[in-house]
Amino acid sequence: MDTPEKKYYKISDASELLGVPATTLRFWEKEFGNLRPKRNAKGTRFYSQADMERLQMIRYLVKDRGLHIEAAKREIRTNPAGTEKRARAVARLRDIRAKLVGMLDALNSRR
């Protein structure tokens, strides 16, 4: 996830960065106990950098690997370090691919 370092992300920002709807993020909050964003008096969610990393890991398991919620929970419980490492690698590769596609598009537009 190639993002500027912020202290907190609103749900709309997190949704855009992760490529999932805000409703999905709210659902994941209910399902995964270790995901608890801070809220202000109005109830606006603010995800910390640690929350974003957890969301990235959940997204990797559910969206990229296609695991069901229960299987994703089990994977996080049994191998959190390995899962996090793989999720980060996939995110970096996704960012690299996006940059390469952008460069290719720029080259093609010059022709």
Side-chain angles (χ1 to χ4, degrees):
M1 191 166 57
D2 191 19
T3 61
E5 289 292 320
K6 286 181 164 182
K7 191 167 184 175
Y8 292 101
Y9 298 85
K10 288 185 177 181
I11 194 167
S12 58
D13 298 331
S15 171
E16 184 178 330
L17 290 170
L18 294 165
V20 296
T23 54
T24 300
L25 297 180
R26 288 191 286 272
F27 174 73
W28 287 348
E29 281 179 37
K30 292 176 187 171
E31 292 296 318
F32 294 89
N34 65 348
L35 187 59
R36 294 284 175 238
K38 294 187 185 296
R39 292 178 184 239
N40 66 8
K42 292 171 36 177
T44 304
R45 290 169 170 83
F46 292 98
Y47 294 96
S48 67
Q49 191 61 39
D51 291 331
M52 292 299 291
E53 289 172 9
R54 283 186 209 101
L55 285 169
Q56 186 177 5
M57 184 172 22
I58 294 167
R59 184 197 181 287
Y60 163 72
L61 292 170
V62 174
K63 299 293 183 182
D64 296 339
R65 287 195 44 203
L67 297 179
H68 293 281
I69 295 296
E70 290 305 317
K73 288 179 188 178
R74 191 171 39 254
E75 183 75 20
I76 290 171
R77 265 194 317 271
T78 59
N79 187 13
T83 303
E84 184 177 350
K85 187 177 179 180
R86 283 190 304 267
R88 284 184 184 167
V90 168
R92 277 194 301 262
L93 290 171
R94 190 177 291 118
D95 289 341
I96 290 168
R97 182 179 191 278
K99 288 176 185 176
L100 288 172
V101 168
M103 286 187 239
L104 184 59
D105 290 344
L107 284 172
N108 287 335
S109 69
R110 294 188 65 142
R111 290 183 182 175

